[in-house]
């Protein structure tokens, strides 16, 4: 029953309905889509590791989310905003020249057909808005009058500031002081949208410190404040509800590929920082055994160095920011600094559902370095006329490593989760260009 | 009886609250901490709360955040925290010692490892900020098996419906966080503290200690009139930081707080 209601939200735009109905039948038996349990555990991961002050609010959010999922009015409002404000459904696009270019690197008969799920065409230029719309509707249902969020590069901050403006709620964005320096255009965007941007000077002054500061603000303002977490992580029910709001990506992609090709894809590829764009694409396909999945982590300057952000490949399970998951940490459990050229992947943890999917082997996770991502960034620009976010460039590079394993008649869907306009200064700097 | 139970029974029999003093282990360096703890006991602290530093102390305000980072920058490791506890226990056989910190450093080598190492070091209780009652299985059973009290936190947001879940499995004492917020913020109104303590004591026989926002002797006395224990943290950490870790700064502050706590109920009907 919970599964059916979850589909009600995540497939509200699925006019085909294929995925939802098919899975409803399948999942009654034994589904990979029925996680987490009522306590928010995905196997040994997830949970609610928060201070007592926050527990009553986290429980109230859970109750409100269950109620919202049963409420047709909530689904209708969400669907209307997704269509008319976000611009959904996003296209599923056959990336023909990228396909041909990568195919040329593979042995004869190999090199799959590559489709992009065009999340970068959403309002605000990334998948982040899907989640922000869902969460602000929950905030309004709960009677909260103030919004807070953390941001790294500023994409989630911009998406949150956007929905806060749309619904007329005051909004404070916590951003590491170093990131404020590095991401001035997004800081200005957030201010234009009416948000207050609070630079965080504690710790390493980056994303994890921004999240610490958001939690400190929340604990002091629980009575009126809603925390819009930007990825599929944090205390239960955040990993579940962010995943559900992002599952519109996979649900649409499934209907679109069936229409385009008459069959399911052979492989799904997405970049993974916290992992919301990846889980959004993967989740509706988890029970489709023939669909392989590849999550690409940021290997930074290489997995042989300490400068990477690959929590699954280079970390081990621990507890941070409300959930148990894979973390970059030392033997004492002190959290390590992450590094990636992509600010959106620059976080020492990962959503708990990915940790679980990694442990059970359903999804394969691999690393891609800064340099490989930069090459793929340029490749995508020149072959497809699409400037991808550096996050997605990681996914493209990860796929490039694997094209020789898939036949030319096989199909890949890659989540192009964001556009790269935000990254041009970083890329110019890395390439030694002055702009 | 455990050291915690004995201590709270003794302070109750003296018609006063216990003074619980918090110090961050390893601030400004691991070598400083033993003398600081000795000075705080000499100043009149009844219970020591030893903070276990963490890179991401998300329930702490600026003073204790900075102390955490200073300690880690000075090279503090978990082994140093345990060594500080072991030394303290040898020098102070009867003074209760409670470790306070975050889940990840406590769970890093497994909950059993941590509970047994802490017990061996002479630790009496553990306060883990980010393991609420719902996640008790992560650490609680290991602590109980090792004979360590898992000290639970109650807050202004802990309502009556939720309180039994918080109290289930709690031991040692109950720590009432008097403000919804982080450490080192403004103190709550005395009236609301009194009301909250009464509500908690209706649900438990455990002693109730009140902390967060208690900085001055006057504030400590006000809490000591209505609670079984008064916790002072950020003010001590601040005083030590200003004095570069000079133990005398800690002793002097704690002596003032201890005198205020001892005199708080004089002239007030018991």
């Amino acid at each position: 029953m919970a599964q059916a209601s979850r589909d009600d939200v995540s497939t509200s735009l699925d006019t085909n309905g294929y995925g939802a109905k098919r899975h409803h039948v399948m999942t009654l038996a034994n589904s990979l889509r029925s996680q987490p349990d009522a306590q928010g555990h995905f196997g040994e991961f997830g949970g609610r590791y928060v201070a007592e002050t926050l527990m009553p609010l986290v429980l109230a959010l859970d109750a409100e989310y269950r109620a919202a999922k049963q409420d047709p009015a909530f689904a209708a409002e969400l669907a209307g905003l997704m269509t008319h404000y976000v611009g959904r459904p996003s296209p599923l696009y056959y990336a023909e020249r990228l396909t041909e270019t990568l195919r040329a690197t593979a042995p004869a008969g190999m090199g799959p057909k590559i489709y992009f799920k065009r999340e970068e065409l959403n309002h605000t230029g990334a998948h982040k808005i899907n989640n922000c719309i869902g969460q602000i509707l929950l905030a309004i249902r709960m009677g909260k009058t103030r919004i807070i969020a953390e941001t790294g590069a500023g994409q989630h901050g911009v998406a949150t500031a956007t929905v806060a403006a749309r619904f007329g709620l005051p909004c404070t964005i916590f951003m590491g002081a170093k990131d404020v320096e590095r991401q001035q255009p997004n800081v200005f965007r957030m201010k234009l949208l009416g948000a207050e941007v609070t630079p965080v000077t504690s710790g390493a002054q980056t994303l994890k410190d921004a999240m610490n500061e958001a939690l400190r603000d929340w604990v002091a303002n629980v009575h009126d404040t809603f925390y819009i977490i930007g990825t599929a992580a944090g205390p239960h029910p955040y990993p579940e509800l962010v995943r559900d709001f992002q599952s519109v990506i996979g649900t649409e992609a499934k209907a679109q590929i069936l229409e385009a090709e008459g069959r399911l894809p052979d492989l799904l590829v997405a970049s993974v920082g916290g992992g919301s764009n990846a889980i959004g694409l993967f989740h509706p396909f988890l029970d489709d055994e023939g669909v392989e999945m590849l999550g690409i982590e940021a290997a930074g300057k290489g997995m042989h160095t300490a400068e990477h952000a690959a929590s699954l490949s280079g970390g081990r399970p621990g507890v941070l920011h409300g959930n148990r998951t894979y973390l970059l940490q030392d033997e004492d459990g002190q959290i390590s600094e992450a590094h990636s050229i992509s600010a959106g992947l620059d976080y020492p943890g990962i959503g708990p559902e990915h940790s679980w999917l990694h442990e059970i082997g359903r999804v394969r996770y691999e690393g891609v370095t800064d340099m490989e991502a930069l090459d793929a960034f340029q490749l995508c620009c020149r072959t497809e006329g699409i400037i991808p976010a550096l996050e997605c460039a990681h996914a493209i590079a990860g796929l490039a490593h694997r094209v020789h394993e898939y036949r030319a008649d096989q199909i890949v869907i890659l989540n192009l989760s964001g556009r790269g306009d935000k990254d041009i200064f970083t890329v110019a700097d890395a390439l030694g260009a002055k702009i | 009886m455990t050291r915690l139970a004995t201590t709270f029974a003794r302070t109750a029999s003296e018609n006063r609250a216990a003074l619980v003093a918090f110090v961050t282990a390893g601030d400004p360096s691991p070598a400083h901490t033993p003398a600081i703890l000795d000075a705080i006991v000499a100043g009149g602290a009844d219970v020591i709360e030893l903070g276990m530093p963490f890179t991401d102390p998300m329930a702490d305000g600026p003073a204790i955040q900075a102390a955490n980072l200073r300690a880690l920058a000075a090279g503090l490791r978990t082994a140093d925290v345990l060594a500080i506890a072991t030394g303290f226990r040898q020098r102070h056989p009867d003074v209760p010692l409670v470790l306070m910190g975050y889940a990840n450093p406590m769970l890093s080598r497994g909950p059993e490892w941590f509970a047994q190492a802490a017990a061996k070091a002479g630790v009496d209780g553990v306060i883990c900020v980010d393991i609420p009652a719902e996640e008790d299985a992560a650490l609680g059973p290991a602590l109980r098996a090792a004979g360590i009290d898992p000290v639970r936190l109650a807050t202004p947001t802990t309502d009556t419906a939720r309180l039994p879940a918080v109290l289930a499995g709690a031991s040692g004492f109950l720590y009432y966080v008097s403000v919804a917020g982080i450490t080192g913020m403004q103190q709550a109104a005395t009236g609301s503290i009194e009301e909250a303590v009464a509500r908690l004591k209706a649900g438990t026989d455990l002693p109730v200690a009140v902390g967060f926002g208690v900085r001055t002797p006057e504030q400590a006395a006000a809490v000591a009139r209505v609670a079984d224990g008064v916790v002072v943290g950020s003010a001590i950490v601040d005083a030590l930081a200003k004095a570069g870790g000079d133990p005398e700064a800690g002793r002097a502050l704690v002596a003032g707080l201890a005198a205020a706590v001892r005199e708080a109920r004089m002239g007030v009907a018991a």
Side-chain angles (χ1 to χ4, degrees), chain B residues 176-198:
Chain B
Y176 179 64
V177 174
S178 65
V179 287
I182 52 179
T183 55
M185 294 173 64
Q186 294 293 311
Q187 189 187 21
T190 308
S192 73
I193 293 176
E194 185 167 8
E195 193 183 321
V197 171

Side-chain angles (χ1 to χ4, degrees), chain B:
Chain B
M1 288 222 295
T2 65
R3 285 185 202 96
L4 279 168
T6 304
T7 299
F8 278 102
R10 177 171 55 78
T11 56
S13 76
E14 294 167 7
N15 189 30
R16 68 176 181 91
L19 177 62
V20 182
F22 175 95
V23 166
T24 300
D27 174 34
S29 84
H32 281 80
T33 307
I36 289 172
L37 295 180
D38 291 351
I40 278 165
V41 172
D46 298 297
V47 177
I48 297 294
E49 245 185 59
L50 185 63
M52 279 183 73
F54 183 41
T55 41
D56 295 82
M58 58 220 124
D60 284 300
I64 296 178
Q65 283 176 42
N68 276 251
L69 296 182
R70 279 195 299 268
L72 293 171
L76 178 108
R77 310 293 304 176
T78 297
D80 299 312
V81 177
L82 294 167
I84 289 166
T86 303
F88 180 85
R89 182 50 65 232
Q90 286 163 0
R91 299 192 306 281
H92 304 279
D94 302 323
V95 181
L97 180 68
V98 176
L99 292 182
M100 181 167 189
Y102 293 83
N104 206 46
M106 293 182 184
L107 301 178
S108 190
R109 293 177 176 84
E112 289 78 17
W113 182 92
F114 173 71
Q116 283 159 19
K120 196 174 158 214
V123 168
D124 302 289
V126 166
I127 305 171
C128 186
V129 175
D130 52 349
I131 299 187
E134 281 75 1
E135 300 292 349
D136 183 71
L139 184 60
L143 292 175
R144 290 181 200 100
I148 293 180
D149 289 318
V151 175
R152 284 275 171 76
L153 300 151
T155 71
T157 60
T158 309
D159 56 27
T160 311
R162 186 172 157 67
L163 188 57
V166 171
L167 293 174
S171 62
F173 62 95
L174 189 66
Y175 186 143
Y176 179 64
V177 174
S178 65
V179 287
I182 52 179
T183 55
M185 294 173 64
Q186 294 293 311
Q187 189 187 21
T190 308
S192 73
I193 293 176
E194 185 167 8
E195 193 183 321
V197 171
R199 187 164 60 89
L200 297 174
K201 291 191 79 74
T204 181
D205 294 330
L206 290 173
V208 176
V210 175
F212 278 47
V214 184
R215 299 190 70 89
T216 65
E218 293 71 28
Q219 290 170 333
V223 172
R225 284 184 199 106
V226 299
D228 302 310
V230 182
V231 187
V232 181
S234 296
I236 297 172
V237 169
D238 266 342
L240 287 166
K242 285 197 185 94
D246 179 1
E248 174 53 24
R251 193 207 59 78
L253 178 68
V254 168
L257 293 164
V261 164
R262 280 174 169 76
E263 290 158 14
R265 295 186 203 166
M266 288 181 183
V268 179

Side-chain angles (χ1 to χ4, degrees), chain A residues 115-197:
Chain A
Y115 282 87
F116 285 166
K117 180 61 174 162
R118 301 282 308 271
E119 289 297 301
E120 101 282 12
L121 293 177
N122 294 336
H123 180 40
T124 71
H127 71 293
K128 293 287 184 190
I129 191 84
N130 301 332
N131 166 48
C132 290
I133 296 266
Q135 287 201 44
I136 203 160
L137 292 181
L138 287 175
I140 291 164
R141 272 182 82 97
M142 293 178 81
K144 301 298 182 187
T145 55
R146 174 174 174 262
I147 299 295
I148 59 171
E150 85 294 340
T151 197
Q155 292 307 103
H156 175 59
V158 168
T160 302
T162 297
V163 298
R166 168 64 184 76
F167 288 93
L169 294 180
C171 169
T172 299
I173 305 291
F174 294 93
M175 188 168 184
K178 278 188 194 160
D179 289 333
V180 170
E181 283 288 308
R182 294 192 286 201
Q183 305 287 343
Q184 278 297 325
N186 272 344
V187 173
F188 187 61
R189 279 186 190 101
M190 287 184 264
K191 288 180 176 169
L192 280 175
L193 292 161
E196 182 188 332
V197 179

Side-chain angles (χ1 to χ4, degrees), chain A residues 39 41 46-56 59 202-204 208-209 211-213 215-217 219-222 316-322 324 327 329-336, chain B residues 53-61 65 69 72 76-79 103-109 129-135 138 153-159 162 166 177 179-182 185:
Chain A
Q39 311 305 313
H41 295 118
R48 290 178 285 218
Y49 291 87
V50 294
E52 170 61 22
T53 309
L54 293 177
M55 263 316 290
L59 293 170
S202 60
K208 87 179 166 69
D209 308 287
M211 196 153 181
N212 291 336
E213 208 59 33
L215 285 164
R216 290 181 188 119
D217 180 288
V219 84
N221 296 289
V222 277
R316 63 189 175 87
V319 172
L320 182 69
H321 293 154
R324 182 191 290 275
L327 300 171
Q329 55 183 317
D330 70 12
E331 61 274 25
D332 277 352
Q334 305 296 348
I335 306 302
S336 310
Chain B
F54 183 41
T55 41
D56 295 82
M58 58 220 124
D60 284 300
Q65 283 176 42
L69 296 182
L72 293 171
L76 178 108
R77 310 293 304 176
T78 297
N104 206 46
M106 293 182 184
L107 301 178
S108 190
R109 293 177 176 84
V129 175
D130 52 349
I131 299 187
E134 281 75 1
E135 300 292 349
L153 300 151
T155 71
T157 60
T158 309
D159 56 27
R162 186 172 157 67
V166 171
V177 174
V179 287
I182 52 179
M185 294 173 64

